[in-house]
Amino acid sequence: MTKAIFFHAGCPVCVSAEQQFAKALDPSRYDVEIVHLGEQRSRLAEAEAAGVKSVPAMVIAGATFHINFGAALADLK
Amino acid sequence: MTKAIFFHAGCPVCVSAEQQFAKALDPSRYDVEIVHLGEQRSRLAEAEAAGVKSVPAMVIAGATFHINFGAALADLK
């Protein structure tokens, strides 16, 4: 299984991306974790270390993809 | 099946997104078409109508998601 983490902050852009994107990944190949950075601030450092600059973002096997733009990571701190 | 179209232009950012993202969708639920806009310029208008501003981008069931930034659509015309 490949680990995929979807970081978001509950914004409308984030919710749309979560519903259309994070849930579209093949569950037989991807273990998708959904992290709300507004509620789980302890994960902010992890997101930052993965290169996440804004949310929503998806980290798949260590590669970071920013999907549209909802909020800057800096604004969640 | 839900229709998903991945628009790209062969750029390194595009190739990474294609390999990690477009191919991660659940094939039992999504019919993924990959369109290289540099080679299929006849599809540019379709991408533009879907709201694609830059590539790589994925249109899932009519919703457009820009994934990182490879090239502006305007530069592909």
Side-chain angles (χ1 to χ4, degrees):
Chain A
M1 291 288 266
T2 300
K3 178 79 179 174
I5 307 176
F6 180 76
F7 290 105
H8 74 109
C11 54
V13 171
C14 296
V15 171
S16 165
E18 180 183 341
Q19 288 174 346
Q20 295 276 13
F21 234 108
K23 298 194 173 168
L25 296 197
D26 185 350
S28 72
R29 292 181 291 143
Y30 293 87
D31 173 21
V32 181
E33 181 183 10
I34 295 179
V35 176
H36 188 317
L37 287 172
E39 295 173 353
Q40 295 177 261
R41 288 172 184 279
S42 60
R43 307 286 297 266
L44 275 166
E46 176 190 344
E48 198 163 27
V52 174
K53 306 287 188 202
S54 63
V55 290
M58 179 94 90
V59 178
I60 303 180
T64 299
F65 299 97
H66 297 92
I67 304 163
N68 289 344
F69 180 84
L73 203 68
D75 291 334
L76 301 176
K77 290 183 182 176
Chain B
M1 292 286 268
T2 300
K3 178 78 180 177
I5 308 177
F6 179 76
F7 290 106
H8 75 109
C11 54
V13 171
C14 297
V15 171
S16 166
E18 179 183 341
Q19 289 174 346
Q20 297 276 14
F21 234 108
K23 299 193 173 170
L25 296 197
D26 184 351
S28 73
R29 292 181 290 142
Y30 293 88
D31 172 22
V32 182
E33 181 183 11
I34 295 178
V35 176
H36 188 316
L37 287 172
E39 295 171 353
Q40 294 175 261
R41 288 172 185 279
S42 60
R43 305 286 297 267
L44 275 166
E46 176 190 344
E48 199 163 26
V52 174
K53 306 286 188 202
S54 62
V55 290
M58 180 95 89
V59 178
I60 303 179
T64 300
F65 300 97
H66 296 92
I67 305 163
N68 290 343
F69 180 85
L73 203 70
D75 291 335
L76 301 177
K77 290 182 181 175

